[in-house]
Amino acid sequence: MATGGDVVADGQDQTRPTWDSGGDAVVEAGAGSETGNAPAAATGETSVSDRPTDEEILAQQNQIRAEQAQKSEYVGFEEPMSALKEEYINGNQNFVQKIGKLESSYSTFRRTRGDGNCFFRGFIYAYLESLLLTHDLAECNRFTSVVQSWKARLVEGGFQELVFEDAMDLLLEQVKELTKPNTNFTHERLLVNMRDDTVSNLVVMLLRLITSCEVQRREDFFFPFILGMYDEPPATVELFCQRHVEPMGEESDHLHIVAVTEALQIPVRVVYLDSSGMPTGGGGSGLDATCHDFVPDSCASGTRPRVHLLYRPGHYDILYPKGG
């Protein structure tokens, strides 16, 4: 986990997830066994017992990813889209061409830590940043009212107020600062707050509880999603939420996005960067990344997304449209 505190000097790469390169991680086995036996290559024999199992290889890969994630900040600095393209320039050309097309619409992006909480963290940071940039007092007041209304719903849903009240206060305090006349709440302060272990993780926890409560309140709507997500889906919506929504570090997907955007009435656009399609030749126009808008039913027709996120397999970062 990040320890929070001062923001490091701009220009240092604090957030680059070296494991997220579009390819599979490679795990090297040791040269010999711990028992002193000669390596299989030297004896001409293959020892099945010395080979790691698939489960052991996967566990090691996950450990490597977790260790690398710990080295990055919860939320990084803005970077040009060219920095994202550079990650794949010698690898996945589908990604390179799609990023090239995205450069016409997006000027920069911001990395989030790949710890399983990247969607919720990127979502709330981008939203608070939009309030900071626009000084939209009406939206600040609307959001405050919506969040406060969730206190009674969470209690009704079985969550103890003691569990979430500090997190709710922390989130609303960020918004309150933005509504003060001549506020001195700056980007740097927002970044410091969202890099702080306590503030950042409590806010993510609150969003997870709200998402869980929304899914359970609308069980009839969400249960078909759950049935389609797993070969052996949890027997109940409540069990699904306990396993896949409420715990920190559980990755988010379509269902989580629908639930939290509806619960907080915040429209979001997710740009999906994957390997689908075939790269075009040198004179081709390139591939388009798929975009999906999650617009709550309560929003007026034609409402534009307030938050833009970039999805790469297993990870979300923040995108910044050109012209704001």
Side-chain angles (χ1 to χ4, degrees):
M1 294 292 180
T3 56
D6 296 336
V7 178
V8 297
D10 204 350
Q12 296 180 6
D13 188 355
Q14 297 294 316
T15 58
R16 185 176 301 278
T18 55
W19 51 266
D20 192 6
S21 60
D24 295 327
V26 178
V27 180
E28 296 181 355
S33 70
E34 297 178 358
T35 61
N37 294 331
T43 64
E45 297 177 358
T46 301
S47 175
V48 176
S49 61
D50 287 345
R51 294 177 179 175
T53 65
D54 290 345
E55 289 77 12
E56 289 171 337
I57 293 174
L58 180 60
Q60 188 174 0
Q61 290 175 347
N62 289 339
Q63 181 181 357
I64 291 171
R65 292 186 177 190
E67 290 172 354
Q68 291 174 338
Q70 294 291 327
K71 300 175 184 178
S72 65
E73 296 284 3
Y74 287 133
V75 182
F77 293 108
E78 275 191 70
E79 300 179 55
M81 294 297 289
S82 58
L84 182 62
K85 185 191 293 184
E86 186 66 25
E87 290 184 28
Y88 305 101
I89 200 68
N90 295 319
N92 194 318
Q93 294 306 301
N94 286 35
F95 278 38
V96 172
Q97 293 199 33
K98 289 183 178 182
I99 295 168
K101 294 292 288 291
L102 287 176
E103 287 180 302
S104 64
S105 302
Y106 295 96
S107 57
T108 57
F109 76 108
R110 189 187 298 270
R111 302 178 195 269
T112 62
R113 179 184 289 190
D115 59 359
N117 300 310
C118 52
F119 164 70
F120 286 107
R121 208 180 313 271
F123 164 75
I124 196 61
Y125 181 91
Y127 176 71
L128 293 175
E129 187 180 33
S130 74
L131 297 181
L132 177 63
L133 291 171
T134 61
H135 297 289
D136 189 339
L137 298 185
E139 177 63 14
C140 288
N141 292 332
R142 184 205 66 79
F143 180 72
T144 298
S145 177
V146 169
V147 172
Q148 289 174 335
S149 72
W150 273 100
K151 180 178 291 187
R153 295 175 187 172
L154 287 169
V155 171
E156 183 180 346
F159 298 103
Q160 295 184 7
E161 188 172 342
L162 182 65
V163 173
F164 63 81
E165 60 182 351
D166 287 345
M168 188 171 287
D169 288 343
L170 279 171
L171 175 57
L172 293 181
E173 183 61 31
Q174 311 294 307
V175 180
K176 183 178 179 181
E177 287 290 331
L178 301 175
T179 64
K180 293 180 179 179
N182 302 318
T183 181
N184 61 354
F185 195 84
T186 63
H187 265 98
E188 181 179 0
R189 187 171 170 188
L190 176 62
L191 193 59
V192 167
N193 287 347
M194 290 305 294
R195 285 180 171 181
D196 179 80
D197 279 336
T198 300
V199 175
S200 194
N201 286 327
L202 278 177
V203 169
V204 169
M205 180 205 70
L206 174 64
L207 296 179
R208 286 186 173 278
L209 296 185
I210 290 175
T211 302
S212 174
C213 195
E214 174 73 5
V215 172
Q216 293 182 71
R217 287 175 64 246
R218 301 175 60 195
E219 179 176 355
D220 292 343
F221 175 80
F222 283 106
F223 194 56
F225 285 85
I226 297 171
L227 289 175
M229 289 168 59
Y230 304 94
D231 293 334
E232 297 181 5
T236 64
V237 169
E238 181 180 8
L239 188 58
F240 167 80
C241 289
Q242 291 174 356
R243 290 180 180 177
H244 301 290
V245 181
E246 296 166 19
M248 296 288 284
E250 282 291 317
E251 293 185 0
S252 303
D253 54 30
H254 188 96
L255 180 147
H256 301 71
I257 302 174
V258 171
V260 76
T261 53
E262 288 286 348
L264 298 178
Q265 300 167 32
I266 299 173
V268 173
R269 171 169 293 175
V270 178
V271 178
Y272 292 89
L273 185 62
D274 56 30
S275 298
S276 62
M278 295 294 292
T280 58
S285 60
L287 297 169
D288 287 315
T290 301
C291 298
H292 188 91
D293 289 351
F294 296 83
V295 180
D297 293 337
S298 58
C299 293
S301 177
T303 297
R304 299 175 62 184
R306 279 188 169 269
V307 171
H308 293 249
L309 299 176
L310 174 70
Y311 175 80
R312 290 180 279 174
H315 186 70
Y316 295 87
D317 289 312
I318 302 168
L319 282 173
Y320 293 88
K322 288 186 173 180

